[in-house]
Amino acid sequence: MTALTHKLTRFRPRTTAAQVGVRSRNPLTLALWASLWIAGFANWPLWQNLAALPEMQSARGMVFGAAFFGIVAAVIFLLLVPFAWRRSIKPAVALFLVAAAAGAHFMGTYGIVIDPTMIQNVLHTDPREVRDLLSVNMAGNLLLLAGLPLWWLWHAPATRAPVSRQLVRNGLSLAAAGIMIAALIFFMYADLSATMRNHRTMRFLINPVNSFYAMGVLAHEAGAKRKGPLQPIGLDARIAPLAAGAKPPLLLLVVGETARAQNFSLNGYARPTNPELEELGVVSFRNVSSCGTSTAASLPCMFSHLGRTGYEDRPADYENLVDLLDRAGLAVLWLDNQSGCKGLCDRIPRAQASTVVAGGTALPDGLCNAGGCMDGALLHDLDARLAALPAKRRARGVVLV
C-alpha cells in the first residue's frame, strides 16, 4: 500500500494557478502594472511639487503633466524590462517598490530631494540617527505604497514562457518604451526643457530613478579614484620650538552644524542672533562656504587642502589636516557627539562623547540617555582625556577637535 500511495502521489497532476482561480501573468505585465503604480502613487511628492508650479495652472500645463507621467512610467518600465523573467521579476519589482516607498516618505515628509549627496549621507548614518527617523507615518507610507502592491504581487503567479519567446517580447517592450519616451520628449520638449531648467531639483524627485542614479554616481566616483594608500601631505611640516618657560599651546577646534551666514547678527543680520558672541569680540569670517549640507559631504572637504572644487574632482584620497598635525608631533584628540568623523580621525586618538575615560568619573545623570548625549558630554573629564595623550607630544602642543 505504501508503494502504491507513493506512485499515485508521484504521478498526480500538479495544480496550476488557473485551476485555483488565480490568473497567471506574463512578467512584462507585472512590470507594467508596477511601473504605473510607482509612477502614480509612489511619486506623489513629484506630482505635488509639479502641480504647485504656476505654469501648470492651465490646459497646456495639464497636458504636460500627463505627458510627464507617461515619461516617468515608461522610464521605470524600461528599467524593469531586463528583469522580466519568471524568477527575477518579483524580486526586481519588490526592490523598486520598497525604494520608491521609502523615497516618497522622506521626500514628502522632510521636503528633501534624493541626490548623490543625500544618498552618501544615508550610507554614513548611524543607528541612533536611523532610530530617530522611524515613525508611525513612515510605517504607514511603506505599508500603503509598498505593502499593498507587494501583497498583490505575491499572489500573482508569473507565467513560464520559452526563453526565445520571452526574449523577443522583452526586446519589443524595450523598443516600445524607448519610442514612447522619445516621442513624448519630442512633442513636449519646449515645456520639458523649460521646467527642468527653471526647476532643477525636479529631476531629483523622480522616484526611484533618483535613488538608483545617485547610487550609480557614488559607485562611479569611488571607482574613478586611484586605489592604494592615502597620498601624504605636508611632509615638510615642522613645529617651531617654544620659548623658554612658555606653556605648550592648546588649540580647540569646534565643528558644529551647518548654518546660514546671512542669519548671523555678527555678519550684519538685523535680529540679535549672536548676542553673547558679540560681547566676546570674536572675528566672523564671511567669505566662506560649505562643501555640502550633510556631514558626510562637508566634513572631509573641510579638513582637506584641496578646496571644494579640488576635493570633489580629486583623482585619489589624501591625508587631512589632523594627519598633518599628528605627523608634525602634536598631541591630537578627536571627540565626537554625532555619527563619526567620516574617516578623518581613523589614524589619531579619538573617542565618543558617551565614552568614560579610564580612571574618570561616571557621566552625570541627564547628560546622556538612550537617544544620545548632550554636547556637554564632550567636556566631561576633559582634563583626564588630555592627560592620557603622550606626554612628549603634549609638551609640543595639543589640538583638540
Side-chain angles (χ1 to χ4, degrees), residues 106-316:
F106 287 111
M107 290 189 294
T109 303
Y110 300 103
I112 64 170
V113 296
I114 298 180
D115 57 5
T117 299
M118 187 58 62
I119 292 295
Q120 184 184 40
N121 200 33
V122 170
L123 295 176
H124 285 82
T125 193
D126 62 9
R128 185 183 70 183
E129 292 175 328
V130 172
R131 185 174 62 246
D132 292 340
L133 295 174
L134 300 179
S135 65
V136 175
N137 185 33
M138 180 179 181
N141 278 321
L142 292 177
L143 286 174
L144 180 63
L145 298 176
L148 286 179
L150 282 175
W151 180 87
W152 174 82
L153 183 69
W154 181 264
H155 292 85
T159 56
R160 182 195 299 272
V163 174
S164 57
R165 184 185 303 172
Q166 192 64 42
L167 188 62
V168 171
R169 289 175 177 174
N170 290 2
L172 292 175
S173 298
L174 282 173
I179 292 173
M180 179 178 175
I181 295 170
L184 290 174
I185 291 177
F186 177 79
F187 287 110
M188 303 301 299
Y189 180 77
D191 293 334
L192 182 64
S193 61
T195 302
M196 294 296 105
R197 182 174 59 253
N198 297 328
H199 309 283
R200 297 178 62 86
T201 58
M202 196 69 65
R203 68 192 69 182
F204 295 114
L205 291 172
I206 302 175
N207 198 17
V209 180
N210 48 5
S211 298
F212 298 151
Y213 169 78
M215 292 290 289
V217 169
L218 292 178
H220 172 73
E221 290 178 350
K225 292 174 190 163
R226 190 170 60 215
K227 305 300 181 183
L230 297 176
Q231 301 300 305
I233 62 172
L235 296 177
D236 57 344
R238 298 290 184 274
I239 300 174
L242 296 175
K247 294 180 63 176
L250 169 62
L251 174 63
L252 178 63
L253 180 59
V254 181
V255 183
E257 293 296 321
T258 303
R260 294 173 64 88
Q262 68 181 36
N263 293 344
F264 276 58
S265 56
L266 289 172
N267 298 338
Y269 187 55
R271 296 177 60 186
T273 53
N274 314 115
E276 296 187 19
L277 288 177
E278 289 177 345
E279 295 179 359
L280 298 177
V282 300
V283 176
S284 177
F285 296 95
R286 305 184 182 188
N287 188 25
V288 297
S289 61
S290 174
C291 291
T293 57
S294 66
T295 306
S298 62
L299 194 60
C301 177
M302 188 185 306
F303 282 75
S304 170
H305 68 292
L306 299 172
R308 176 175 181 176
T309 302
Y311 182 79
E312 292 176 346
D313 298 334
R314 68 194 187 283

Side-chain angles (χ1 to χ4, degrees), residues 340-388:
C341 64
K342 312 308 176 189
L344 293 177
C345 62
D346 289 352
R347 296 161 295 280
I348 63 168
R350 61 191 185 277
Q352 287 292 124
S354 57
T355 304
V356 177
V357 65
T361 59
L363 290 166
D365 292 338
L367 200 57
C368 294
N369 53 43
C373 292
M374 305 293 287
D375 283 340
L378 291 166
L379 304 178
H380 182 70
D381 271 344
L382 187 56
D383 288 339
R385 293 186 188 275
L386 296 178

